[in-house]
Amino acid sequence: AALSFQHVFEPGSEPPLLLLHGTGGDEHDLLPVGRLLAPGRALLSPRGQVLERGAPRFFRRLAEGVFDEVDIRRRAADLAAFVGEARAAYGLSAPVAVGFSNGANMAAALLLLHPDVLAGAVLLRAMVPLDEPGSGPLDGRPVLILSGAMDPIVPEANAQQLARQLEEAGARVRHEILPGGHNLGQQDVTRAAAWLGGLP
Ligand code: MLT
């Protein structure tokens, strides 16, 4: 039977990467990034189910940086269910999320609301998705946050607050602030690949 999210799955080594695209992206966007970050790794890449003037996203927002938290909770539950379906269908262990922008915000919400779903996460240009998230237990799950020092969408204090929320929920967080803005650069690839390579 078809799974609940339109997606691409590429078989490979475990744990798989769960690729979560940014606003206006789709399930194909991050495949090249996933291959660069972890060559040979299984890739599971769903398309966000919310459309904002035609642009796919993983949850609704009221304005840039102003989120619909009721929708975030609902969509995070939907995505958690999809990960369960995909794990059963493809025989996978718990994935490590790699999310960019809106996809990173959804990965953060998944960690906070459904702490058993992800084995870890790389959050690229993430911000706080929920003012009052539940609190874990994330039991030492590894999380890498890569922020941009000149990011016009994510203020540094906001990324730091997210790092704190995740730590309080029990994650083992590494937060690095790279030169550059909201877009990804070569340093993101280098840092994230090295970090993923160091995971057990
Ligand atoms: C979001 O809506 O999740 C953030 O503003 C990032 C974005 O997608 O632009």
Side-chain angles (χ1 to χ4, degrees):
L3 306 191
S4 59
F5 276 64
Q6 183 157 346
H7 67 282
V8 171
F9 173 66
E10 289 192 5
S13 57
E14 296 243 73
L17 300 185
L18 177 70
L19 303 175
L20 301 175
H21 63 78
T23 302
D26 67 23
E27 66 275 27
H28 302 288
D29 265 40
L30 291 180
L31 295 172
V33 173
R35 290 188 200 106
L36 274 177
L37 294 185
R41 197 73 74 87
L43 302 176
L44 178 63
S45 187
R47 180 193 297 199
Q49 294 183 325
V50 167
L51 283 180
E52 183 183 84
R53 290 185 293 275
R57 291 173 48 85
F58 286 95
F59 57 82
R60 284 179 214 291
R61 64 180 163 184
L62 309 172
E64 189 169 281
V66 185
F67 299 150
D68 178 341
E69 294 203 10
V70 172
D71 193 65
I72 291 181
R73 288 171 192 276
R74 172 184 155 204
R75 305 287 175 178
D78 290 348
L79 189 61
F82 165 73
V83 170
E85 293 165 22
R87 286 185 58 182
Y90 302 124
L92 303 171
S93 61
V96 175
V98 174
F100 168 62
S101 191
N102 179 250
N105 300 341
M106 175 47 92
L110 261 187
L111 286 166
L112 292 162
L113 297 172
H114 299 275
D116 293 332
V117 168
L118 299 176
V122 176
L123 307 178
L124 304 166
R125 309 300 185 272
M127 57 194 293
V128 170
L130 298 155
D131 280 337
E132 288 176 34
S135 55
L138 280 163
D139 290 334
R141 285 208 182 50
V143 176
L144 175 66
I145 303 175
L146 295 180
S147 302
M150 320 267 277
D151 190 331
I153 297 175
V154 185
E156 196 170 308
N158 187 294
Q160 272 154 1
Q161 188 189 337
L162 174 61
R164 260 195 317 276
Q165 280 184 350
L166 289 165
E167 265 161 11
E168 278 163 17
R172 182 160 55 81
V173 178
R174 181 177 177 90
H175 183 196
E176 294 182 22
I177 297 163
L178 306 178
H182 198 67
N183 291 337
L184 300 183
Q186 180 56 43
Q187 274 203 65
D188 291 280
V189 173
T190 311
R191 308 300 289 169
W195 184 87
L196 282 166
L199 293 186

